[in-house]
Coordinates of all heavy atoms in Angstrom, one line a residue:
Y330 N -10.9 12.1 17.6 CA -12.1 11.6 18.1 C -11.9 11.1 19.5 O -11.0 10.3 19.8 CB -12.6 10.4 17.3 CG -12.7 10.7 15.8 CD1 -11.5 10.6 15.0 CD2 -13.9 11.2 15.2 CE1 -11.6 10.9 13.6 CE2 -13.9 11.5 13.9 CZ -12.8 11.4 13.1 OH -12.8 11.7 11.8
E337 N -19.1 -0.8 22.9 CA -19.6 -1.1 21.5 C -20.3 0.0 20.8 O -19.9 0.3 19.6 CB -20.5 -2.3 21.6 CG -20.9 -2.8 20.2 CD -21.7 -4.1 20.2 OE1 -22.4 -4.4 21.2 OE2 -21.5 -4.9 19.3
G338 N -21.3 0.7 21.4 CA -22.0 1.7 20.8 C -21.1 2.9 20.3 O -21.1 3.2 19.1
P339 N -20.3 3.4 21.2 CA -19.4 4.5 20.8 C -18.4 4.0 19.7 O -18.0 4.9 18.9 CB -18.6 4.8 22.1 CG -19.7 4.5 23.2 CD -20.4 3.3 22.7
V340 N -17.9 2.8 19.7 CA -17.0 2.4 18.7 C -17.7 2.3 17.3 O -17.2 2.7 16.3 CB -16.3 1.0 19.1 CG1 -15.5 0.5 17.9 CG2 -15.4 1.2 20.2
E341 N -18.9 1.8 17.3 CA -19.7 1.8 16.1 C -19.9 3.2 15.6 O -19.7 3.5 14.4 CB -21.1 1.1 16.3 CG -21.0 -0.4 16.5 CD -22.3 -1.1 17.0 OE1 -23.2 -0.4 17.4 OE2 -22.3 -2.3 16.9
A342 N -20.3 4.1 16.5 CA -20.5 5.5 16.1 C -19.1 6.1 15.6 O -19.1 6.9 14.6 CB -21.0 6.3 17.2
L343 N -18.0 5.8 16.2 CA -16.7 6.3 15.9 C -16.4 6.0 14.4 O -16.0 6.8 13.6 CB -15.7 5.7 16.8 CG -14.2 5.8 16.4 CD1 -13.8 7.3 16.5 CD2 -13.3 4.9 17.3
F344 N -16.5 4.7 14.1 CA -16.1 4.3 12.7 C -17.1 4.8 11.6 O -16.7 5.1 10.5 CB -15.8 2.8 12.6 CG -14.5 2.5 13.2 CD1 -14.3 2.1 14.6 CD2 -13.3 2.6 12.5 CE1 -13.1 1.9 15.1 CE2 -12.1 2.4 13.0 CZ -11.9 2.1 14.4
A345 N -18.4 5.0 12.0 CA -19.3 5.6 11.1 C -18.9 7.0 10.8 O -19.0 7.5 9.7 CB -20.7 5.5 11.7
K346 N -18.5 7.7 11.9 CA -18.1 9.1 11.7 C -16.8 9.2 10.9 O -16.6 10.1 10.1 CB -17.9 9.7 13.2 CG -17.5 11.2 13.2 CD -18.7 12.1 13.0 CE -18.4 13.5 13.3 NZ -17.9 14.3 12.1
I347 N -15.8 8.3 11.2 CA -14.6 8.4 10.4 C -14.9 8.1 8.9 O -14.4 8.8 8.0 CB -13.6 7.3 10.9 CG1 -13.0 7.7 12.3 CG2 -12.4 7.1 10.0 CD1 -12.2 6.6 13.0
A348 N -15.8 7.2 8.7 CA -16.2 6.9 7.3 C -16.8 8.1 6.6 O -16.5 8.4 5.5 CB -17.1 5.7 7.2
S349 N -17.6 8.8 7.3 CA -18.3 10.0 6.7 C -17.3 11.2 6.6 O -17.3 11.9 5.6 CB -19.6 10.3 7.4 OG -19.4 11.2 8.5
D350 N -16.4 11.3 7.6 CA -15.5 12.5 7.5 C -14.4 12.3 6.4 O -14.0 13.2 5.7 CB -14.7 12.6 8.8 CG -15.6 13.2 10.0 OD1 -16.7 13.6 9.7 OD2 -15.1 13.1 11.1
F351 N -14.0 11.0 6.2 CA -12.9 10.8 5.2 C -13.3 10.2 3.9 O -12.6 10.1 3.0 CB -11.8 9.9 5.9 CG -11.0 10.6 7.0 CD1 -11.4 10.6 8.3 CD2 -9.8 11.2 6.7 CE1 -10.7 11.2 9.3 CE2 -9.0 11.8 7.7 CZ -9.4 11.8 9.0
D352 N -14.5 9.5 4.0 CA -15.0 8.8 2.8 C -14.1 7.7 2.4 O -14.0 7.3 1.2 CB -15.3 9.7 1.6 CG -16.3 9.1 0.7 OD1 -17.1 8.2 1.1 OD2 -16.2 9.4 -0.6
A353 N -13.3 7.2 3.4 CA -12.3 6.1 3.1 C -11.8 5.6 4.4 O -11.8 6.4 5.4 CB -11.2 6.6 2.2
L354 N -11.3 4.4 4.4 CA -10.5 3.9 5.6 C -9.6 2.8 5.0 O -10.1 1.8 4.6 CB -11.4 3.4 6.7 CG -10.6 2.9 8.0 CD1 -9.8 4.1 8.6 CD2 -11.5 2.3 9.0
E403 N -15.3 -3.1 13.4 CA -16.0 -1.9 12.8 C -15.1 -1.3 11.6 O -15.6 -0.9 10.6 CB -16.3 -0.9 13.8 CG -17.3 -1.3 14.8 CD -18.6 -1.9 14.2 OE1 -19.2 -1.2 13.3 OE2 -18.9 -3.0 14.5
A404 N -13.8 -1.3 11.8 CA -12.9 -0.8 10.8 C -13.0 -1.7 9.5 O -13.1 -1.2 8.4 CB -11.5 -0.8 11.3
A406 N -15.5 -3.5 8.6 CA -16.8 -3.3 7.9 C -16.7 -2.0 7.0 O -17.2 -2.0 5.9 CB -17.9 -3.1 9.0
V407 N -16.1 -1.0 7.6 CA -16.0 0.3 6.8 C -15.1 0.1 5.5 O -15.5 0.5 4.4 CB -15.4 1.4 7.6 CG1 -15.1 2.7 6.8 CG2 -16.4 1.8 8.8
E410 N -17.2 -1.9 3.0 CA -18.3 -1.2 2.5 C -17.9 0.0 1.6 O -18.6 0.3 0.6 CB -19.2 -0.7 3.6 CG -20.1 -1.8 4.2 CD -20.6 -1.6 5.6 OE1 -20.9 -0.5 5.9 OE2 -20.8 -2.6 6.3
L411 N -16.7 0.6 1.8 CA -16.2 1.6 1.0 C -15.2 1.1 -0.1 O -14.6 1.9 -0.8 CB -15.5 2.7 1.9 CG -16.4 3.5 2.8 CD1 -15.6 4.5 3.6 CD2 -17.5 4.2 2.1

Side-chain angles (χ1 to χ4, degrees):
Y330 308 85
E337 185 172 32
V340 170
E341 288 171 345
L343 165 70
F344 282 93
K346 182 81 172 83
I347 292 172
S349 88
D350 288 349
F351 289 86
D352 201 26
L354 183 63
E403 294 310 305
V407 170
E410 285 159 30
L411 296 179

